[in-house]
Amino acid sequence: MAACSMFRTSYFSLQPHHPLTPHRFPTTHFTPIEATISSSSDPTATAPPSNKLKHRRPADENIRDEARRHSSSHNFSATYVPFNADPTSTESYSLDEIVYRSRSGGLLDVQHDMEALKKFDGQYWKSLFDSRVGKTTWPFGSGVWSKKEWVLPEIDSDDIVSAFEGNSNLFWAERYGKQFLGMHDLWVKHCGISHTGSFKDLGMTVLVSQVNRLRKMNRPVVGVGCASTGDTSAALSAYCAAAGIPSIVFLPANRISIAQLVQPIANGAFVLSIDTDFDGCMQLIREVTAELPIYLANSLNSLRLEGQKTAAIEILQQFDWEVPDWVIVPGGNLGNIYAFYKGFHMCKELGLVDRIPRLVCAQAANANPLYLHFKSSWKDFKPVKAGTTFASAIQIGDPVSIDRAVFALKNSNGIVEEATEEELMDAMAQADSTGMFICPHTGVALTALIKLRNSGVIKPTDRTVVVSTAHGLKFTQSKIDYHSKEIKDMACRYANPPVQVKADFGSVMDVLKKYLLSKDSKC
């Protein structure tokens, strides 16, 4: 019998396959301590190599203590500024201020001192970031904090709250791409293989670290609060629990999975189950944080996007700093599509790459305000009443980051697509059948890919990355319902229910022979 093609996961290595330029960057990778950036006026300054053996730290010293001993200063900084403000605007705020909106009521953005960062060329940054991967040196073992200079440059490493998040698998979807799409260079960025099972960890480590810093500065922050469709509350509660900071969560009643609900409860959050949808919870948390000393953790707060943008940088690292043609991201509150744009754009501006990929934002058809806005050629945006969707984390009809998303898509020649409930569930089942175990939101992104591939917009040879935002284990009930064919008005075409067989040898043999013959004919 011919053997069928099986999928293979990519070997996770961020080390470049090519040697570094000999006269400027020695092939020996330097350690994070050796790579500490000074305020040198030489823009081509590089970290000197070291032949010294790094001895194990003293037995009574932990990795925070070690980092404290080796701490150093630099001239990098960042501030809050109005998002997409006029270049003549002088409005800005320290990151140590508790502020979420500009004076005009618009969104804020974190602006880095790009001139200071540009004193070091793109090769320097690539070598520095690559040198930190896979280490336990605090805090650089995190995929987020390995880019600390580009994320939250002024925070003391001792204030950072991290679970060494990030560094997630970039999965070569060989069988799925070949069998269903005729593609050989399709990849799935598994951001859900993370501490709490979703990409939200990338942003929450940054936000909770800054809150930890503010509390040590005796700023009026008693706790941290968020409205959530599930994953944000899981990340917030876990990181707050690690830091000993109270967390408060507003959840829409009966609208998230049990697996998502139990996470903040288990981590000790104060959970309010409110009889409204996400948009209603968001309105309430904004009103509450305006009156009480509770720090707002939703993506209205631009700090989270600083962590989330590192997933884009990480994708480039994993491709040895080659730029993919397409990156497809599920979208609900729409902060993530902007975060990916920002990460790619920073790499281009600082000379690590020479272009950015085209971005696609994928929405559930039952909660698709951005898609409708895109189809109207970006005319006046109109929120929608979000309907029920299996992709519950993006069941949002009035996204906070609509302006950010539009900016990102316009500046990346981007596209918006949508997925019906049947399309996203079928796509999820197809992907699972090739060895993945994805969430419904990734099913939305795969549906967008299928549509763009069928229309010829995405070519068979295009290197394409689909961002998987959460772990499939958070959404097992939807998979059970699909494979049991218990979803109303859905054919569940790829359902794989268990076969009921009598407990005797003959019956079992008959069923197995029939199954094996069917597989033999397909190979």
Side-chain angles (χ1 to χ4, degrees):
M1 183 186 300
C4 293
S5 174
M6 296 296 288
F7 67 88
R8 292 190 293 271
T9 56
S10 62
Y11 181 75
F12 184 82
S13 171
L14 303 188
Q15 301 304 321
H17 297 314
H18 51 81
L20 300 175
T21 307
H23 70 283
R24 296 186 61 193
F25 297 97
T27 56
T28 302
H29 282 287
F30 42 78
T31 67
I33 296 170
E34 293 161 347
T36 300
I37 299 172
S38 69
S39 57
S40 168
S41 59
D42 179 7
T44 63
T46 64
S50 173
N51 295 321
K52 294 181 181 179
L53 292 175
K54 183 178 178 181
H55 297 288
R56 184 173 178 175
R57 63 181 179 273
D60 61 346
E61 183 180 73
N62 63 37
I63 57 175
R64 280 188 186 273
D65 298 328
E66 183 182 38
R68 199 177 296 121
R69 275 197 298 112
H70 294 292
S71 63
S72 59
S73 60
H74 56 68
N75 290 336
F76 304 129
S77 62
T79 57
Y80 292 123
V81 297
F83 170 73
N84 200 24
D86 186 281
T88 62
S89 172
T90 59
E91 182 181 353
S92 67
Y93 307 89
S94 164
L95 297 188
D96 292 332
E97 291 187 57
I98 301 174
V99 56
Y100 311 115
R101 293 266 191 190
S102 68
R103 284 196 290 265
S104 66
L107 297 168
L108 294 174
D109 198 14
V110 175
Q111 183 180 77
H112 291 263
D113 182 350
M114 298 301 288
E115 292 307 310
L117 294 172
K118 285 178 181 177
K119 290 181 180 178
F120 303 89
D121 65 15
Q123 187 61 54
Y124 181 90
W125 290 115
K126 288 191 284 189
S127 299
L128 176 64
F129 294 160
D130 285 348
S131 75
R132 292 169 171 174
V133 173
K135 305 295 193 301
T136 57
T137 307
W138 185 265
F140 303 128
S142 160
V144 172
W145 297 109
S146 64
K147 288 87 176 169
K148 180 177 182 291
E149 295 82 3
W150 291 23
V151 175
L152 210 58
E154 294 173 273
I155 194 170
D156 192 289
S157 292
D158 203 42
D159 295 337
I160 289 174
V161 183
S162 173
F164 278 13
E165 52 289 309
N167 294 325
S168 58
N169 182 31
L170 185 60
F171 176 94
W172 180 32
E174 181 186 15
R175 184 180 165 203
Y176 180 84
K178 179 181 179 181
Q179 182 173 333
F180 295 108
L181 295 163
M183 300 177 73
H184 69 269
D185 210 358
L186 173 63
W187 302 78
V188 177
K189 178 63 171 168
H190 279 300
C191 294
I193 302 177
S194 187
H195 184 58
T196 70
S198 89
F199 79 95
K200 298 294 179 72
D201 293 347
L202 304 177
M204 208 56 74
T205 180
V206 178
L207 184 140
V208 174
S209 295
Q210 180 64 11
V211 170
N212 197 36
R213 169 183 166 94
L214 294 175
R215 282 164 61 90
K216 289 183 179 181
M217 296 169 67
N218 295 317
R219 295 297 174 89
V221 179
V222 175
V224 189
C226 75
S228 179
T229 50
D231 292 331
T232 301
S233 64
L236 175 65
S237 58
Y239 282 86
C240 282
I245 300 171
S247 57
I248 300 97
V249 172
F250 288 17
L251 293 175
N254 304 316
R255 285 177 170 85
I256 68 170
S257 72
I258 295 297
Q260 290 173 299
L261 175 62
V262 76
Q263 288 182 278
I265 291 173
N267 286 136
F270 186 65
V271 179
L272 302 181
S273 180
I274 302 174
D275 186 21
T276 184
D277 58 10
F278 171 81
D279 297 315
C281 288
M282 187 68 214
Q283 180 61 36
L284 285 169
I285 194 70
R286 287 165 64 176
E287 292 172 1
V288 166
T289 53
E291 298 295 328
L292 296 175
I294 298 172
Y295 194 84
L296 180 64
N298 282 96
S299 56
L300 175 64
N301 188 319
S302 53
L303 280 176
R304 277 178 44 195
L305 305 185
E306 293 305 292
Q308 289 166 211
K309 79 184 181 190
T310 62
I313 305 169
E314 198 170 281
I315 287 171
L316 297 176
Q317 273 189 295
Q318 289 169 305
F319 283 134
D320 292 335
W321 303 103
E322 293 180 356
V323 182
D325 298 301
W326 297 88
V327 175
I328 304 175
V329 186
N333 219 16
L334 302 181
N336 212 23
I337 189 71
Y338 175 68
F340 271 82
Y341 168 78
K342 189 172 185 181
F344 288 128
H345 185 262
M346 278 192 78
C347 286
K348 181 176 182 290
E349 187 173 358
L350 291 171
L352 285 72
V353 295
D354 59 4
R355 65 184 180 90
I356 67 172
R358 291 187 69 180
L359 298 179
V360 177
C361 189
Q363 292 208 292
N366 285 355
N368 63 348
L370 180 66
Y371 173 77
L372 297 175
H373 192 32
F374 172 75
K375 296 300 284 185
S376 71
S377 301
W378 304 121
K379 293 178 182 176
D380 291 342
F381 172 74
K382 295 179 181 178
V384 301
K385 180 67 175 177
T388 301
T389 173
F390 285 103
S392 57
I394 58 175
Q395 187 176 314
I396 298 168
D398 191 10
V400 167
S401 294
I402 179 63
D403 293 338
R404 291 170 174 150
V406 172
F407 180 88
L409 291 161
K410 285 183 175 180
N411 284 280
S412 64
N413 192 20
I415 295 173
V416 187
E417 258 298 350
E418 67 172 356
T420 67
E421 294 303 288
E422 186 157 20
E423 287 172 337
L424 72 89
M425 292 298 286
D426 282 347
M428 181 174 71
Q430 285 180 318
D432 288 354
S433 74
T434 64
M436 289 182 269
F437 195 74
I438 63 169
C439 65
H441 316 84
T442 310
V444 173
L446 287 173
T447 298
L449 169 60
I450 292 167
K451 290 181 175 181
L452 293 172
R453 179 71 194 88
N454 289 342
S455 66
V457 173
I458 294 181
K459 305 296 189 291
T461 56
D462 286 351
R463 175 173 284 180
T464 303
V465 178
V466 172
V467 177
S468 180
T469 52
H471 202 293
L473 287 172
K474 287 189 171 190
F475 301 91
T476 53
Q477 189 59 53
S478 65
K479 293 176 183 289
I480 291 169
D481 292 344
Y482 182 91
H483 289 288
S484 302
K485 294 192 172 184
E486 293 180 355
I487 302 174
K488 185 179 180 182
D489 298 326
M490 189 177 292
C492 302
R493 291 184 296 155
Y494 304 100
N496 182 32
V499 178
Q500 301 296 321
V501 189
K502 291 180 181 180
D504 67 79
F505 179 76
S507 297
V508 171
M509 286 295 289
D510 288 343
V511 168
L512 286 176
K513 286 178 180 178
K514 183 178 180 181
Y515 170 76
L516 293 174
L517 283 170
S518 71
K519 292 301 175 183
D520 184 52
S521 65
K522 294 178 181 178
C523 287

